[in-house]
Amino acid sequence: MLYTAYYSDIIRNILHKKGNIMISVEILKNIIINQKERIKGNYIPREYLSKIERFKNLKHIIVITGHRRAGKSIFLYEIINKFYSKDEIFYINFEDERLIGFNSNDFEQLMETFIRLWGDKKTVFFDEIQNVENWELFINRLYEDGYKIYITGSNSTLLSSELSTHLTGRHIDLTIYPFSMREMLIYNNISYSDIDLYKNTNRAKILSIFDIYINEGGFPEYIISKEKLILEMLFSDVISKDIIMRYNIDKIRAFKDITRYLVSNFSNHFSYNKIKNIFNIGSVHTVKNYVEYLKSTYMIDILEQFSYSLKNIEQYKKKIYLIDNGLGNAIRFRNTRDIGNLYENCVFIELKRRQKEIYFWKDRNGKEVDFLIKSNNKEIELIQVSYDINDNKTYKRETTALLNGLDEFGIKRGTIISESLDEIRKIKGREIHFVPLWKWLLQEKVK
């Protein structure tokens, strides 16, 4: 059963190319009824539900994307249970291996089967829809017919290309990430109000969860099971199913080696040319493609160096980050120095979850500020991340770089996130807020 989905995709691709239609009405009925029965139970309420509440009455298609097993399907269940009921909606998950061979010609039959079973409903949920070629044409027709549509997908490139071509201005995007620290506390029944943060008992509980979170991440399936094998399989599925097979990669060994290299060097700088030389790849273009494939599955993300010149941004070195600390730790060798990288990666993920526009910044002497955040009103915020800021050498390096950045952009205050320092200091006329990472992660909710 572990390889069912992998081989299902191989067969599905062959059948698509041949144009075969294999889905009978009886099979569809069975799938639809069985899948609908799963839409029940108690789930950890995701922070994203507040956004759905704002958007559910709009005509726009809600497009929910994110990494495999980040919780997209369960999130659809939550949406249905909170804002609708099972009797009001149609739902189908295209990851089901019984849907091998389903293609765009089957959509009409799918809708007819829905209606024959339960009558016409005007709210539809299509899970992992990128598995079906030309899905966007059918979705566009449903939209025109007045349906409220929710779709999910695990490949940003496949979804965005179709959406931008056929559904421009008709959809609202929402990216789902693994559990945040806030959601981890909810899962463990730990309150985290401002008052609770200063109660010794509650603070100790919060810190114990934080210690787990910083090392093991927040993939829901792993958090529930604590089976490292789940993360290893998740990594393998993304590499084999979502990239190697989907993009017909022929240099499989080279691609896997580059992937391991990137994963092992998260929170660090990289260049396409350096990777090309290390692995003796024929062209930088190939390396760029490999990185983009990984990025499209949400496995990794790329941070650019800030510049007012777009040309400079393209030429500068970049930094690599992972979707989840636990995933990184499950598939690479670790050493004690990694804690700083884990801290920085954790801040990056949280900034992405908060939908910030982020870069890193360097001054003329190469001193670096980890995160430069641009807001819509052009204001800039600077954040440094350092695990042990109490070390004198580290303290000087981090504060000097931050102060240089504050001077460069004319900002009065900056932030340094570390393990435990929690105070505000005046340094050279600037206000530096030192905050522990665990507390910073609880300061702002997803909006």
Side-chain angles (χ1 to χ4, degrees):
M1 287 299 294
L2 296 181
Y3 301 100
T4 300
Y6 176 77
Y7 290 112
S8 294
D9 258 25
I10 294 176
I11 297 170
R12 182 184 287 117
N13 285 348
I14 293 172
L15 293 173
H16 278 161
K17 290 176 182 178
K18 292 183 177 181
N20 292 343
I21 301 175
M22 297 180 60
I23 308 300
S24 71
V25 172
E26 290 306 309
I27 290 175
L28 278 176
K29 281 183 180 179
N30 186 260
I31 292 169
I32 290 168
I33 292 170
N34 288 344
Q35 287 187 352
K36 198 169 185 180
E37 286 301 308
R38 300 173 192 166
I39 307 174
K40 57 186 178 181
N42 297 318
Y43 310 109
I44 301 302
R46 301 301 302 264
E47 295 177 301
Y48 308 98
L49 281 172
S50 61
K51 286 193 171 187
I52 298 299
E53 190 164 21
R54 285 157 42 202
F55 300 146
K56 73 182 184 69
N57 292 324
L58 299 178
K59 188 180 179 182
H60 294 68
I61 300 163
I62 306 298
V63 181
I64 300 166
T65 58
H67 197 283
R68 278 183 174 274
R69 303 297 182 261
K72 297 186 300 298
S73 296
I74 297 299
F75 184 56
L76 288 189
Y77 298 170
E78 289 186 271
I79 293 170
I80 293 167
N81 286 320
K82 184 172 178 61
F83 302 116
Y84 304 95
S85 76
K86 287 197 297 182
D87 297 329
E88 294 179 274
I89 61 95
F90 295 148
Y91 170 87
I92 191 164
N93 186 334
F94 291 102
E95 283 282 271
D96 196 309
E97 74 277 3
R98 292 171 293 179
L99 289 172
I100 293 173
F102 190 101
N103 61 40
S104 58
N105 295 321
D106 293 315
F107 274 122
E108 200 69 43
Q109 185 167 269
L110 172 65
M111 292 302 292
E112 288 177 5
T113 306
F114 275 136
I115 293 169
R116 286 172 64 183
L117 283 171
W118 296 303
D120 195 11
K121 311 297 180 184
K122 286 298 182 180
T123 306
V124 294
F125 291 78
F126 293 131
D127 208 352
E128 296 294 350
I129 198 168
Q130 84 271 344
N131 288 331
V132 184
E133 291 183 3
N134 299 318
W135 60 267
E136 70 282 358
L137 301 175
F138 175 74
I139 293 297
N140 191 46
R141 181 151 58 87
L142 280 188
Y143 175 88
E144 293 290 352
D145 289 341
Y147 284 85
K148 178 64 179 180
I149 305 164
Y150 295 82
I151 63 178
T152 76
S154 301
N155 189 300
S156 62
T157 300
L158 291 179
L159 285 171
S160 62
S161 60
E162 280 81 2
L163 290 169
S164 62
T165 302
H166 298 279
L167 300 169
T168 302
R170 298 181 171 191
H171 62 92
I172 295 172
D173 297 332
L174 178 62
T175 303
I176 295 286
Y177 290 85
F179 280 171
S180 67
M181 176 65 180
R182 297 173 297 277
E183 290 167 328
M184 284 283 287
L185 293 180
I186 293 172
Y187 173 75
N188 287 279
N189 297 312
I190 298 173
S191 60
Y192 60 97
S193 67
D194 290 343
I195 294 176
D196 291 322
L197 298 183
Y198 294 96
K199 293 179 180 178
N200 289 338
T201 303
N202 268 41
R203 187 179 176 123
K205 291 179 181 178
I206 291 171
L207 288 173
S208 69
I209 298 302
F210 170 74
D211 289 340
I212 295 171
Y213 182 65
I214 195 67
N215 287 289
E216 300 182 13
F219 271 105
E221 277 188 63
Y222 172 76
I223 294 304
I224 293 169
S225 69
K226 295 298 182 182
E227 285 289 343
K228 184 180 177 183
L229 179 62
I230 286 177
L231 295 175
E232 294 171 351
M233 288 172 54
L234 176 58
F235 176 78
S236 178
D237 279 351
V238 170
I239 300 307
S240 297
K241 179 178 178 180
D242 295 340
I243 301 179
I244 291 175
M245 186 178 63
R246 192 179 296 278
Y247 295 104
N248 297 315
I249 292 178
D250 52 0
K251 297 178 180 178
I252 295 176
R253 177 62 183 272
F255 173 72
K256 287 185 175 180
D257 287 344
I258 289 173
T259 299
R260 292 277 179 182
Y261 173 84
L262 291 169
V263 168
S264 298
N265 286 279
F266 70 85
S267 301
N268 286 312
H269 299 91
F270 81 98
S271 75
Y272 298 117
N273 196 57
K274 181 178 179 181
I275 293 175
K276 179 184 81 73
N277 294 334
I278 290 175
F279 296 100
N280 196 27
I281 302 298
S283 71
V284 170
H285 181 71
T286 299
V287 175
K288 286 184 177 180
N289 283 341
Y290 287 172
V291 173
E292 283 302 312
Y293 297 157
L294 287 165
K295 186 179 176 184
S296 74
T297 65
Y298 300 91
M299 174 76 75
I300 65 170
D301 210 335
I302 306 300
L303 190 63
E304 306 275 4
Q305 181 174 332
F306 178 79
S307 172
Y308 289 109
S309 165
L310 292 178
K311 183 178 179 181
N312 287 343
I313 289 177
E314 180 63 28
Q315 292 176 344
Y316 289 147
K317 278 190 175 182
K318 306 171 192 315
K319 296 185 77 172
I320 191 89
Y321 293 92
L322 295 180
I323 186 67
D324 181 79
N325 280 3
L327 187 63
N329 282 338
I331 56 181
R332 69 191 182 94
F333 295 111
R334 291 193 58 197
N335 61 61
T336 56
R337 294 175 296 174
D338 284 345
I339 188 64
N341 292 39
L342 292 172
Y343 265 53
E344 187 176 329
N345 197 70
C346 190
V347 172
F348 174 83
I349 296 166
E350 182 62 25
L351 289 171
K352 295 292 288 186
R353 187 181 284 113
R354 297 175 187 180
Q355 294 186 298
K356 303 294 186 181
E357 181 183 351
I358 54 178
Y359 305 85
F360 69 95
W361 178 81
K362 283 188 175 185
D363 66 16
R364 295 175 182 83
N365 298 314
K367 290 184 172 60
E368 182 174 312
V369 174
D370 294 316
F371 299 109
L372 180 153
I373 300 127
K374 275 182 65 180
S375 61
N376 292 333
N377 59 9
K378 304 291 180 68
E379 289 185 0
I380 287 176
E381 178 185 355
L382 299 180
I383 295 178
Q384 284 286 60
V385 184
S386 179
Y387 170 69
D388 185 13
I389 197 65
N390 293 311
D391 174 76
N392 289 334
K393 184 178 180 180
T394 303
Y395 180 87
K396 183 177 180 180
R397 181 184 69 243
E398 301 295 340
T399 54
T400 298
L402 183 60
L403 288 168
N404 289 348
L406 297 177
D407 289 341
E408 174 74 19
F409 297 103
I411 306 171
K412 293 182 179 180
R413 57 158 289 184
T415 302
I416 296 182
I417 298 171
S418 66
E419 180 195 23
S420 57
L421 189 57
D422 190 3
E423 62 182 69
I424 299 173
R425 295 180 181 177
K426 285 280 189 179
I427 306 175
K428 295 184 177 180
R430 306 293 184 183
E431 193 175 88
I432 308 298
H433 289 237
F434 294 86
V435 58
L437 176 55
W438 67 268
K439 183 179 285 189
W440 180 82
L441 289 170
L442 304 179
Q443 285 180 346
E444 181 181 337
K445 294 183 179 181
V446 173
K447 298 177 181 178

